[in-house]
Amino acid sequence: MSGDAAPVIMFIASLYVFGVVLIYALARAWEQALSPRDRMKIERARPSVNAGRDQINELSGRGNRDNFRA
């Protein structure tokens, strides 16, 4: 009889572990979504992808790409 109960116990234990991991992941995502200050710090610390191109265009005197004629 104990041999029949082992798969059921393992299934219930795996559901319990899955639930705990899911709740942890949702709580972490919720915490990150509610803290815009951290996101702003990251955006300020990381330069924009276009920032380098804009600085090069300003230094070269080209200006906007639409105004540039080859």
Side-chain angles (χ1 to χ4, degrees), residues 54-66:
D54 293 342
Q55 290 174 352
I56 291 171
N57 287 340
E58 287 177 9
L59 292 174
S60 66
R62 288 185 186 173
N64 193 349
R65 182 181 269 192
D66 297 333

Side-chain angles (χ1 to χ4, degrees), residues 8 11 16 20-22 39-40 44-45 50 60 64 66 68:
V8 174
F11 179 72
Y16 177 75
V20 169
V21 170
L22 183 64
R39 191 174 19 183
M40 294 299 285
R44 266 189 262 134
N50 294 328
S60 66
N64 193 349
D66 297 333
F68 178 70

Side-chain angles (χ1 to χ4, degrees), residues 7-23:
V8 174
I9 292 171
M10 290 300 293
F11 179 72
I12 292 172
S14 65
L15 282 180
Y16 177 75
V17 170
F18 177 75
V20 169
V21 170
L22 183 64
I23 290 172

